Amino acid sequence: MTAILRFAPSPTGRLHIGNLRTALFNWLFAVREEGSFILRFDDTDRERSKREFADLIATDLAWIGISPHKTIRQSDRIPLYDAAAEKLKAAGLLYPCYETPDELDRKRKRLAARGLPPVYGREALRLSHAERAALEAEGRRPHWRFLLPNFGADPFAPQRTDIVFDDLIRGETVIDLASLSDPVLIREDGSYLYTLPSVVDDAETGVTHVIRGDDHVTNTAVQAAIFSALAASVPRFGHHNLLTTVGGEGLSKRSGALSLETLREEGYEPMAVASLAVLVGMSGSIEPMADLGALGARLDFAAVSPSASKFDPAELDRLNREIVHGLPCEAVRGRLAAMGGRDEDAETFWQAVRANCDKVADAKGWAEIVFGDMVVPAPEDAAEAAFRAAALRLLPDGEIGPETFRTWTAAIKAETGAKGKALFLPLRRAITGLDHGPELGPLLPLIGRERLLRRLI
Ligand code: GLU
C-alpha cells in the first residue's frame, strides 16, 4: 500500500516553526516511504481563511523544499461534505441543536456547580418535531452535533467507551468517548467545522497516515468514530509533541512570532530552520543536516519526547552559523552578487569570509570592506601613525597577489620590529577599520592597491 500523507493547515496566518514540524514529519515520512504528500487547505472558516495566506503557506513550504504532489482546498469540496452530512443525518447520527452560546455556558456552569464534567447532555435529542419547528419559527437556526457511539440502547446513559489506537509516535493511546461532548460538525450558518471535512477528505484522498500535533489526540477519537460511521477505513494516526517559545507559550499562526516568513527575512538558512523544527524535542543531538534527505534519515518516531519542547532562537543561531561556515560558494553566489564585487572574486572572497559570518547576509559588511570605499578611522596616536606610514612605504610594488601579504608583513616586521598582535592588529585596523575579521592574506588582492593606498595615506 502506498503511503499517502497530508499537511492540512488552515490559511488563517503564516506558518510558524511548530507548523513546520508537522509539515516536515509528514513530508519526510512520505518521502521515506516513497509515498505522496497532499497539501490541504482547511479553509471552511470563511471569515478567517484567506486565499493570500494559502499562497504564502505554499511559498513558505517551497522555501524549505517541500513540494506537494497535490494541493486541495476544502472550500472547493463542500458538496462532498454535504453528502456525508446527509448520510449521517439519515442514520440519526447528526442531530440539530438550538442552544445559544449563552445557554450552553449556563449548562456548563450548572454541571460544574454539581462537580460534573462539562459534557453536553444531548438535551436537543429529546426535542420533538413540533418543538424544533417552534424554535425555528422563532428564528433560531440549528447547529448540528454528531452522536458519539458511547452508549448502549439509551443515548442519555453514556457508558465508558474506549477508543484505543496504536499511535505511530505515542504508542497505545486510549480515549473514553463518554468523557466527550457530541462534537458540533456544522455551525448555525451552515458552514462546517474542520472535524467532518477532514474525515471526508482523508477518506476520499486515501490518506493512510495522519501525523499532527498532540493537541489533536481527542479529535482523533471523535474522528475515528466518524470514519466508522461513514464506513471508511481509519488511517494510522501519529501525534507529535508541540513546540513552545522559550517562555513556554504556545505558538500561534496569528501572532507572527517565529513565522517562517520572519525567519527567512532574518536571513536564516532553510536547512537550519528545518533541522531544528524536526530535531528539537527528539532524543539525539541537534545538528544541522545538509539536506532534507539527511534530515529524513534522522526522523525517528520512537525518539520523540512525550512533552512539549522549547524552541530556542539561540539554538537556531548556532545551527545557522554551522551551516553557513560550510556552505560552498555555489550556494551563495547569487546572494554575493548583490553585495558588490566581481563574480570571479566570489570564490576567494567567500572562502575568506564565511567563517566570520553567522548568516550569509553578514558577508555584506565584509564586501563593503573589501570592495567598497570605506574610510578607516584616523590613527589613535603617534605610534600608530608611524606604523601606518611604514606600512605604506613598505607595500610591495606591482600587482597585489596571494603572496603579497606575507612579503609585506615580513618587511614591516623587519623594519619596525613589530610582531604577532603588535604587527597584525594595527595593520588590520589600517586596512579594515576593525580589530577582528577574516584572514587578510587572501583578501588583499581583492581589496587591491588603489583602495589600500587610499586607506593607508
Ligand atoms: N486544520 C487543522 C489544524 O491546522 C488540521 C489538523 C489535522 O491535521 O487534522 O490544526
Side-chain angles (χ1 to χ4, degrees):
M1 182 178 60
T2 315
I4 302 180
L5 286 99
R6 54 39 163 209
F7 173 55
S10 35
T12 54
R14 300 300 294 254
L15 294 184
H16 56 60
I17 186 119
N19 303 132
L20 178 62
R21 181 174 181 77
T22 310
L24 277 170
F25 272 41
N26 283 285
W27 170 257
L28 297 174
F29 184 81
V31 170
R32 200 162 70 189
E33 299 287 309
E34 297 180 10
S36 65
F37 175 98
I38 299 169
L39 172 59
R40 186 183 84 206
F41 290 114
D42 286 358
D43 57 354
T44 56
D45 183 337
R46 296 171 202 151
E47 298 231 315
R48 287 173 43 217
S49 299
K50 300 259 177 312
R51 177 69 193 224
E52 303 89 271
F53 285 131
D55 295 343
L56 293 167
I57 285 172
T59 306
D60 289 341
L61 293 177
W63 176 60
I64 294 291
I66 295 177
S67 44
H69 300 101
K70 183 159 131 187
T71 298
I72 59 177
R73 288 167 213 284
Q74 291 194 324
S75 53
D76 291 340
R77 302 165 60 83
I78 305 292
L80 289 174
Y81 315 142
D82 290 344
E86 285 313 316
K87 201 165 158 185
L88 295 178
K89 283 179 193 171
L93 297 176
L94 191 58
Y95 61 97
C97 304
Y98 296 87
E99 295 92 343
T100 64
D102 273 353
E103 284 163 354
L104 289 172
D105 198 41
R106 280 200 295 277
K107 273 188 210 287
R108 276 191 292 266
K109 287 196 174 121
R110 277 199 299 275
L111 289 169
R114 291 164 55 203
L116 296 171
V119 175
Y120 179 62
R122 296 183 165 147
E123 291 82 359
L125 206 51
R126 294 187 193 272
L127 296 173
S128 65
H129 261 302
E131 286 167 324
R132 286 182 198 159
L135 286 164
E136 300 212 4
E138 257 177 41
R140 294 216 194 188
R141 290 276 147 272
H143 55 274
W144 296 78
R145 288 187 191 260
F146 175 64
L147 186 64
L148 287 172
N150 58 7
F151 56 91
D154 178 5
F156 300 105
Q159 298 164 0
R160 183 172 182 119
T161 310
D162 284 343
I163 296 272
V164 182
F165 57 95
D166 183 17
D167 192 292
L168 270 172
I169 298 173
R170 299 153 51 100
E172 187 179 281
T173 301
V174 183
I175 304 284
D176 173 14
L177 284 185
S179 67
L180 307 177
S181 295
D182 287 340
V184 176
L185 300 189
I186 306 176
R187 298 184 186 90
E188 273 171 39
D189 66 1
S191 68
Y192 290 93
L193 282 102
Y194 124 93
T195 318
L196 175 66
S198 180
V199 170
V200 171
D201 289 336
D202 286 342
E204 200 272 333
T205 54
V207 164
T208 55
H209 299 78
V210 173
I211 304 173
R212 55 189 181 180
D214 60 17
D215 50 339
H216 283 293
V217 171
T218 310
N219 283 343
T220 294
V222 167
Q223 289 179 321
I226 300 177
F227 275 104
S228 302
L230 293 172
S233 58
V234 185
R236 184 87 196 270
F237 282 89
H239 298 89
H240 63 73
N241 58 347
L242 299 182
L243 301 187
T244 68
T245 63
V246 193
E249 293 137 44
L251 305 178
S252 145
K253 259 209 217 93
R254 271 158 288 166
S255 75
L258 298 176
S259 74
L260 297 197
E261 178 192 35
T262 309
L263 297 174
R264 182 170 61 236
E265 282 172 3
E266 286 175 355
Y268 289 101
E269 297 301 306
M271 275 317 298
V273 177
S275 300
L276 189 54
V278 171
L279 298 178
V280 69
M282 200 153 98
S283 57
S285 59
I286 302 181
E287 299 301 331
M289 294 290 123
D291 51 39
L292 291 180
L295 185 57
R298 284 283 311 272
L299 183 69
D300 176 6
F301 292 146
V304 174
S305 151
S307 49
S309 292
K310 292 192 159 102
F311 173 86
D312 182 356
E315 193 103 71
L316 183 60
D317 285 335
R318 173 180 70 82
L319 295 188
N320 202 73
R321 195 179 314 124
E322 287 176 28
I323 287 180
V324 169
H325 293 181
L327 280 179
C329 181
E330 282 327 304
V332 296
R333 196 177 279 280
R335 285 182 274 177
L336 295 183
M339 298 178 191
R342 298 177 311 170
D343 189 50
E344 58 262 47
D345 293 333
E347 180 77 44
T348 312
F349 170 74
W350 179 244
Q351 291 300 333
V353 305
R354 67 179 182 178
N356 288 77
C357 296
D358 291 346
K359 293 182 179 156
V360 171
D362 294 345
K364 191 163 197 302
W366 300 117
E368 275 156 19
I369 287 172
V370 173
F371 303 114
D373 291 324
M374 52 131 11
V375 178
V376 293
E380 276 182 4
D381 50 30
E384 196 172 353
F387 178 91
R388 277 195 201 176
L392 176 60
R393 190 159 22 84
L394 296 166
L395 181 65
D397 289 334
E399 192 165 341
I400 295 185
E403 293 304 313
T404 305
F405 189 70
R406 202 137 42 105
T407 329
W408 187 25
T409 48
I412 302 173
K413 182 176 169 187
E415 182 173 311
T416 63
K419 56 180 183 209
K421 202 171 162 203
L423 168 63
F424 292 106
L425 188 62
L427 198 55
R428 175 179 291 288
R429 266 202 215 126
I431 300 170
T432 69
L434 297 173
D435 289 349
H436 65 278
E439 260 191 80
L440 287 174
L443 290 178
L444 215 56
L446 307 191
I447 296 173
R449 176 173 296 276
E450 234 179 84
R451 271 188 288 261
L452 264 181
L453 293 178
R454 240 181 282 135
R455 291 175 201 180
L456 290 169
I457 287 167

